Amino acid sequence: MSPAAPFPYAGPETLRQPIIEALTRVVDPEVALSIVDVGLVIGVTVSADRLHVLLTMTSAACPVAGLIIEEVEAELASIAERGMAIDVELVWEPAWTPERMSERARRFMQW
């Protein structure tokens, strides 16, 4: 059995780990940590024809939101099944808080 995702995941088990790894390769350039460690991934849902990711940012004024979304789309395209639509949705609820960060990120940020 695959380890639990660090965010809510609904979809085929065969894609769980590749999706986690793909999202972990996306780095928030403002803090030099993966978006998974920062806690920007709210959840992932995979159906037969769609890979849907809910993302948030640490603030609505995030200057790199567009770049992060583009990188998420590119990383997921590299592992998605042929013909699968990739839908990255930026949401503000639930709001990001430092509690969303991984223990690794907290140590790195010295929090």
Side-chain angles (χ1 to χ4, degrees):
M1 181 175 203
S2 299
F7 43 79
Y9 174 83
E13 281 303 311
T14 56
L15 288 177
R16 179 188 299 264
Q17 195 59 36
I19 288 170
I20 293 169
E21 291 169 7
L23 292 173
T24 300
R25 288 190 294 268
V26 178
V27 173
D28 180 333
E30 292 189 307
V31 293
L33 290 166
S34 84
I35 62 170
V36 172
D37 281 325
V38 177
L40 301 183
V41 181
I42 301 295
V44 175
T45 305
V46 182
S47 64
D49 60 351
R50 181 174 178 230
L51 199 162
H52 183 226
V53 179
L54 294 175
L55 282 184
T56 193
M57 296 294 140
T58 56
S59 86
C62 180
V64 295
L67 175 66
I68 290 172
I69 291 169
E70 287 176 14
E71 289 186 19
V72 167
E73 291 170 342
E75 286 294 340
L76 292 175
S78 74
I79 59 98
E81 295 178 4
R82 185 180 181 111
M84 183 176 279
I86 297 168
D87 181 19
V88 180
E89 182 180 353
L90 187 59
V91 298
W92 302 109
E93 291 294 326
W96 181 87
T97 65
E99 289 75 33
R100 294 190 57 81
M101 294 191 316
S102 70
E103 190 59 39
R104 177 180 175 269
R106 287 190 192 125
R107 282 193 310 272
F108 180 82
M109 302 291 286
Q110 300 179 348
W111 288 13

